[in-house]
Amino acid sequence: MRIIVVNMEDGDEELLLELMNSVSVHEGKIEVISSAAVPSVSFKGLTINCGKRQVFREDKEIRLTRLEYDVLYLLAAHAGQIVSKELIFKAVWGSASEDTIKVVANTVSNLRGKMEPNRHCPIYIKTVFGGYLFCDEMITDTPC
């Protein structure tokens, strides 16, 4: 079974979790697939080409694995909102995965190494209480 999540609105996280729980009963898998209606999403200095699953920072392509892209896409789709590690894990790896939530932190660390100008002072993916926050604007006036 495959569930395609397209253009989620605010508050749809509960619906996504409910869908994932019902699919896990049937040992299905959930894939987050980008919407064809949104060919690309741009943030300050960063462009995500959803149709081609490519990411560019300052017009230079950043090569991402499938999992890295899926995590980035999920975070960017919820820019300005806190996304829990549990939601990321269930949406990207699936509830039937043998991995643990630690793979989320590892994947985010890899993403930061590839896309952040300074991985120790991230401007795109912030760690916050409860998960991660994708910043839709660069924050230059706050110290690391």
Side-chain angles (χ1 to χ4, degrees):
M1 174 187 274
R2 175 187 282 183
I3 293 179
I4 300 174
V5 179
V6 179
N7 194 21
M8 289 178 41
E9 300 291 331
D10 288 5
D12 284 348
E13 289 82 9
E14 287 183 39
L15 175 61
L16 178 60
L17 285 173
E18 187 177 321
L19 288 169
M20 287 187 287
N21 288 334
S22 67
V23 169
S24 66
V25 171
H26 301 290
E27 297 183 32
K29 182 177 179 184
I30 291 184
E31 291 184 38
V32 177
I33 299 175
S34 61
S35 169
V38 184
S40 67
V41 181
S42 294
F43 300 92
K44 203 169 201 177
L46 186 74
T47 300
I48 303 170
N49 184 323
C50 304
K52 294 183 178 180
R53 296 179 60 94
Q54 294 175 312
V55 178
F56 298 88
R57 185 170 53 88
E58 305 297 333
D59 296 323
K60 182 180 177 190
E61 185 175 6
I62 302 168
R63 307 289 280 177
L64 300 179
T65 67
R66 181 188 62 81
L67 294 173
E68 290 167 347
Y69 178 85
D70 288 348
V71 170
L72 176 61
Y73 179 80
L74 182 64
L75 290 171
H78 293 86
Q81 301 173 9
I82 296 173
V83 181
S84 72
K85 290 179 184 179
E86 181 180 67
L87 177 65
I88 295 168
F89 180 76
K90 286 183 178 180
V92 175
W93 281 268
S95 59
S97 175
E98 293 181 14
D99 287 320
T100 65
I101 287 186
K102 288 182 182 181
V103 299
V104 174
N106 291 339
T107 303
V108 168
S109 177
N110 291 341
L111 271 171
R112 285 181 177 148
K114 291 180 177 183
M115 62 183 270
E116 296 283 0
N118 178 353
R119 76 181 304 146
H120 302 294
C121 185
I123 57 174
Y124 295 112
I125 303 173
K126 300 277 190 179
T127 301
V128 295
F129 182 75
Y132 296 101
L133 175 70
F134 187 87
C135 300
D136 56 353
E137 290 187 37
M138 289 182 150
I139 301 172
T140 56
D141 56 277
T142 55
C144 298

